[in-house]
Amino acid sequence: MNIMLFHSTHGLRPAVRQAADRLRGAGHEVWTPDLFEGHTFETVEDGMEFSEGIGKDELLKRAVLAAAPYSERGLVYAGFSLGASIAQTLALGDEKARGLLLLHGTSDIAPNASVDDLPVQLHVAEPDPFETDDWLSAWYLQLGRAGADVEVYRYAGAGHLYTDPDLPDYDEEAAEATWRVALGFLETL
């Protein structure tokens, strides 16, 4: 698979590169665009402030420009938290998308969004301050109505970015379970 992997509000940190290496080790080709142009952040708040300064439209423009040279190949869009929301937006707008792997995040769904059985897998903490139960229920129903084939995996007691070993949210057991399931998902695409 060809995978476009987007970073979180922490920026393109070692954990994103490690995740890309794990995916490459499973035989996938992976790109990790740096939407923050070299900036990384220790806290979610600092990263959110920086990303808000760039603006959602500019972040999406950067993501589209990063994906465009490879989209003809049929990409799997993937991302962490903020990167997951960006991946979702791109996947729903790319008729050649092969799949969508969301780690720790989702995004709004346009009312007219439509896909043809797009395989989608979401991995998220339970509870997650950024992905509440009500939000996730509505998101799941909307994405299903849009034509996606959605699977959701919740990890009780894990922190928001539980796959990043350099953050306090890290949960090794949940992270390894996520990667086992996600790699299996990618094998089916």
Side-chain angles (χ1 to χ4, degrees), residues 133-155:
D133 290 344
D134 288 347
W135 168 262
L136 287 173
S137 294
W139 172 86
Y140 177 85
L141 293 171
Q142 287 177 319
L143 207 51
R145 280 196 294 272
D149 180 12
V150 186
E151 298 177 349
V152 178
Y153 294 86
R154 305 288 307 268
Y155 299 87

Side-chain angles (χ1 to χ4, degrees), residues 20-163:
D21 288 343
R22 184 182 285 230
L23 293 167
R24 287 183 189 108
H28 304 291
E29 192 162 357
V30 184
W31 296 274
T32 55
D34 186 351
L35 304 180
F36 287 180
E37 299 174 332
H39 297 274
T40 60
F41 302 94
E42 292 301 314
T43 69
V44 170
E45 294 77 18
D46 288 345
M48 288 174 72
E49 183 179 331
F50 182 79
S51 68
E52 287 167 6
I54 294 171
K56 187 174 182 176
D57 289 343
E58 177 62 22
L59 284 174
L60 284 174
K61 178 182 170 189
R62 291 176 185 184
V64 167
L65 289 173
Y70 310 104
S71 63
E72 282 298 314
R73 300 179 187 194
L75 289 170
V76 173
Y77 291 93
F80 298 94
S81 193
L82 168 71
S85 70
I86 291 168
Q88 178 185 306
T89 300
L90 268 61
L92 294 180
D94 181 353
E95 63 186 30
K96 293 186 184 296
R98 299 281 305 274
L100 177 59
L101 176 60
L102 303 172
L103 303 161
H104 322 294
T106 62
S107 185
D108 294 331
I109 301 165
N112 62 344
S114 177
V115 292
D116 188 16
D117 291 325
L118 179 71
V120 178
Q121 193 174 85
L122 168 65
H123 297 267
V124 66
E126 181 179 28
D128 187 307
F130 299 101
E131 302 290 327
T132 65
D133 290 344
D134 288 347
W135 168 262
L136 287 173
S137 294
W139 172 86
Y140 177 85
L141 293 171
Q142 287 177 319
L143 207 51
R145 280 196 294 272
D149 180 12
V150 186
E151 298 177 349
V152 178
Y153 294 86
R154 305 288 307 268
Y155 299 87
H160 175 65
L161 274 169
Y162 65 83
T163 59

Side-chain angles (χ1 to χ4, degrees), residues 169-187:
D169 285 349
Y170 182 61
D171 182 316
E172 184 178 9
E173 186 177 329
E176 288 307 312
T178 294
W179 285 115
R180 270 193 309 278
V181 174
L183 289 170
F185 169 70
L186 293 169
E187 296 259 328

